[in-house]
Amino acid sequence: MADYLAASTNTTATQEPKTSSIYVTKGTMTWLVHQYYQSGTWKALRETTQKPRKNILKKFLNQYGKIPYSSLTQAQARKIRDKQADTPDAANNLMKALSAVFEFAKEYGHRDDNPIRGIGKLKSKRKGGHVAWSVNQVRQFEEHHPIGTKPRLALALLLYTGQRRSDIVKLGRQHERDGWLYFRQQKTDAEMSIPIFRELREVFR
């Protein structure tokens, strides 16, 4: 696919030095992604979004980095997605990352369109999402991990605050004031205030 896309255009590549002393061919997907990384759009993303997205794009560039971004069509992008059909979640995440890159390209005048828009998601192989624990399973976990252990604290925070993992890992005594937990959610940037229930207080020492 990479060879086909490169051969299907008549563009003349030019060389531009990067600050890392690595030369990137202007007009290629690698060049476009590097431009994306320097944009305010990228810098506005949270680190928890940047890190996995960068890993996804790095794998993509290892295979398709030399192709001209101007020639990529929706049909070709769909074929790239389908090559990862055995791992549909990974394929969908790749399309999401590429869509952000091409949306940047459209906004900054590198392309007139976003070829990823309109490409549907592959059906996930996961069925039913995460399995919810029963009351007995929670009690079994508590018996195995007594108060004072990190696993028990993590469980209590999850049970009695209902927050995302990205927030749970940062919660601590520094967020407590007058019997409440005050913090800002990482994903939504929403300010939260949650009472420390008796069951959590027993663990949250």
Side-chain angles (χ1 to χ4, degrees), residues 37 61 81 89 100 114 123 130 161:
Y37 290 156
L61 294 178
R81 180 205 64 178
D89 291 328
N114 181 345
K123 187 175 180 180
H130 296 291
T161 68

Side-chain angles (χ1 to χ4, degrees), residues 2-20:
D3 292 339
Y4 167 75
L5 291 174
S8 65
T9 64
N10 295 317
T11 56
T12 301
T14 58
Q15 299 288 330
E16 282 194 353
K18 292 291 291 178
T19 54
S20 61

Side-chain angles (χ1 to χ4, degrees), residues 15-77:
Q15 299 288 330
E16 282 194 353
K18 292 291 291 178
T19 54
S20 61
S21 298
I22 298 175
Y23 284 81
V24 177
T25 304
K26 186 174 181 179
T28 62
M29 280 301 308
T30 297
W31 181 87
L32 181 63
V33 171
H34 284 187
Q35 296 300 306
Y36 172 56
Y37 290 156
Q38 296 172 36
S39 70
T41 302
W42 170 261
K43 294 175 182 177
L45 297 175
R46 296 184 179 278
E47 184 180 354
T48 51
T49 300
Q50 287 183 347
K51 188 174 181 179
R53 183 169 294 181
K54 206 165 190 175
N55 288 335
I56 292 169
L57 291 173
K58 182 179 180 180
K59 292 179 181 179
F60 170 80
L61 294 178
N62 285 340
Q63 189 170 1
Y64 301 103
K66 294 181 180 180
I67 68 175
Y69 65 80
S70 60
S71 67
L72 185 69
T73 66
Q74 186 176 94
Q76 291 162 346

